[in-house]
Amino acid sequence: LLLTNVFHFFSPRPTSTMIFSTCLQYLLEEWLLNNLLYIVVYSVLLLATILFAVPLAIVLFFYFSGLFLLLYKRIRKLNGNYSSNIWDPVRLIIAIILDGCGRLWHGYELHGIENIPDGPGLIIYYHGALPLDYLYFLAKIFILKRRCCYSIADDCVHALTGVTGIIQNKKEECLNVLKKGKLLGISPGGMREALFSDKSYKLIWHKRKGFAQLAVDMKVPIIPMCTQNIREGYWIFGQSTLARRLYEYSRIPLLPVCGGLPVKFRTYIGEPILYNPNVTAEELAAKTKIALQSLIRKHQQIPGSICRALLERFHKEKKKE
């Protein structure tokens, strides 16, 4: 009896705070159980909105950049020759904004810039679902070297011509760019590679060799380039055999891009493939494809992983010994 009394004396007694917290916990659990379905549905809708809204916001940013360039042209009363240095101030503004976004959201890094020649050259790159990495590269190289790398792109992005130096896919225009000692960026996979490649980072070039013939004709080097985790940052929604057939028939990119996760982006520029008069265009195209595949395998873990790509934001690139 004495021991029982001692136990009750020293045992903790419920206080008003404990009673309030217990009631609050009970009410919270009951609310969660009653509204679990709504919570799940709204969470999925919010996530889907974010994943589709970020790519859309990026596209709108570039078109607004084109509008900004048009206003600059009207105010300054400039002509349409975008290759002139008079456009450098507005290019620099857009490049700084773009580079800041890349470093802030994706921790963007550029490695191997020493492999880019001072003269003309072809930048051959892997095309992600949303080639934001390539635009980061354009901004970075303009900031560091004040060089405008011209690009061949789909007709739907020609509104950005003045911002990134986009030209039409015509041999005469490509020759003029290289004759002026400029850089020219080409993705042989193009829209097909953007839509139907995946986390295995396979190249979808088919039998394209026009870029190689251009390099042979102009006797310029080819520089392979790829970006780590580009497929983990943005991906295509709705890939299927039917979608592939529809694209091959219509050549219209109907599949939406989703993503926008803040994964780590590192762009790697490989060693240039120098001009060799004994190498044909077919051989050069095959050699370029092998070089780009090797560059991807060296710097990208395949298959890609979103979790690993997010964790790489906290890892620094290992220095070469």
Side-chain angles (χ1 to χ4, degrees):
L1 181 60
L2 179 61
L3 292 175
T4 303
N5 292 333
V6 172
F7 174 77
H8 284 292
F9 179 80
F10 286 103
S11 61
R13 292 173 174 76
T15 62
S16 60
T17 304
M18 294 174 62
I19 296 173
F20 175 76
S21 62
T22 303
C23 293
L24 184 62
Q25 182 179 358
Y26 173 76
L27 292 174
L28 182 61
E29 290 176 354
E30 185 178 8
W31 182 84
L32 287 174
L33 289 174
N34 293 333
N35 298 277
L36 182 60
L37 179 60
Y38 295 102
I39 294 173
V40 172
V41 171
Y42 289 142
S43 298
V44 171
L45 290 176
L46 179 61
L47 179 61
T49 301
I50 293 173
L51 292 179
F52 286 102
V54 173
L56 179 60
I58 293 170
V59 173
L60 290 176
F61 167 78
F62 292 119
Y63 278 97
F64 278 120
S65 298
L67 179 61
F68 175 64
L69 184 73
L70 180 61
L71 293 175
Y72 181 83
K73 175 182 177 181
R74 293 291 179 86
I75 294 173
R76 294 285 183 175
K77 297 180 180 180
L78 303 176
N79 58 32
N81 184 13
Y82 292 113
S83 62
S84 174
N85 293 334
I86 59 178
W87 297 97
D88 284 355
V90 68
R91 274 201 200 99
L92 183 60
I93 292 173
I94 296 174
I96 290 174
I97 295 173
L98 187 57
D99 181 62
C101 292
R103 288 187 288 124
L104 178 65
W105 191 247
H106 291 293
Y108 182 75
E109 299 176 7
L110 179 61
H111 300 272
I113 193 172
E114 67 278 1
N115 292 325
I116 295 180
D118 294 330
L122 289 180
I123 306 291
I124 304 299
Y125 63 96
Y126 172 80
H127 201 304
L130 185 66
L132 190 58
D133 59 316
Y134 179 68
L135 295 170
Y136 289 156
F137 159 75
L138 295 178
K140 183 70 76 174
I141 195 173
F142 186 79
I143 293 172
L144 295 178
K145 291 196 171 187
R146 292 296 189 275
R147 297 194 67 183
C148 181
C149 178
Y150 290 78
S151 311
I152 294 177
D154 195 81
D155 293 338
C156 62
V157 293
H158 276 171
L160 305 179
T161 302
V163 182
T164 57
I166 291 176
I167 63 174
Q168 293 183 346
N169 190 8
K170 294 181 180 180
K171 186 174 181 180
E172 295 76 14
E173 292 197 30
C174 297
L175 291 174
N176 289 333
V177 168
L178 295 175
K179 286 178 181 178
K180 294 177 181 178
K182 307 292 185 178
L183 296 172
L184 180 61
I186 302 175
S187 173
M191 189 61 68
R192 184 181 289 108
E193 189 170 88
L195 293 175
F196 302 106
S197 185
D198 51 28
K199 61 182 180 180
S200 66
Y201 287 77
K202 60 182 178 181
L203 302 180
I204 307 178
W205 288 11
H206 286 263
K207 297 181 180 180
R208 290 188 175 179
K209 60 179 182 180
F211 71 92
Q213 188 63 56
L214 184 64
V216 171
D217 293 342
M218 295 301 299
K219 301 179 181 180
V220 297
I222 289 178
I223 305 98
M225 186 177 75
C226 69
T227 298
Q228 184 184 40
N229 300 323
I230 183 60
R231 280 284 165 181
E232 284 61 62
Y234 303 89
W235 59 91
I236 297 296
F237 180 79
Q239 288 180 331
S240 65
T241 304
L242 178 60
R244 177 69 179 269
R245 290 178 180 177
L246 288 174
Y247 173 76
E248 296 295 345
Y249 176 76
S250 65
R251 296 303 174 90
I252 300 175
L254 299 174
L255 298 180
V257 180
C258 58
L261 300 177
V263 300
K264 183 68 176 182
F265 278 179
R266 292 190 182 98
T267 293
Y268 293 94
I269 302 172
E271 295 182 0
I273 303 173
L274 302 178
Y275 167 72
N276 186 341
N278 299 321
V279 176
T280 64
E282 292 82 0
E283 294 171 339
L284 182 58
K287 188 175 181 180
T288 303
K289 189 173 185 179
I290 293 173
L292 185 54
Q293 287 175 330
S294 300
L295 191 67
I296 292 173
R297 286 196 298 267
K298 181 179 180 181
H299 299 290
Q300 177 67 52
Q301 293 190 36
I302 298 175
S305 168
I306 293 177
C307 292
R308 183 173 60 241
L310 289 170
L311 291 175
E312 285 176 356
R313 288 296 301 269
F314 307 99
H315 297 163
K316 293 184 178 180
E317 172 72 4
K318 296 181 179 179
K319 296 183 178 180
K320 296 181 180 180
E321 295 182 0

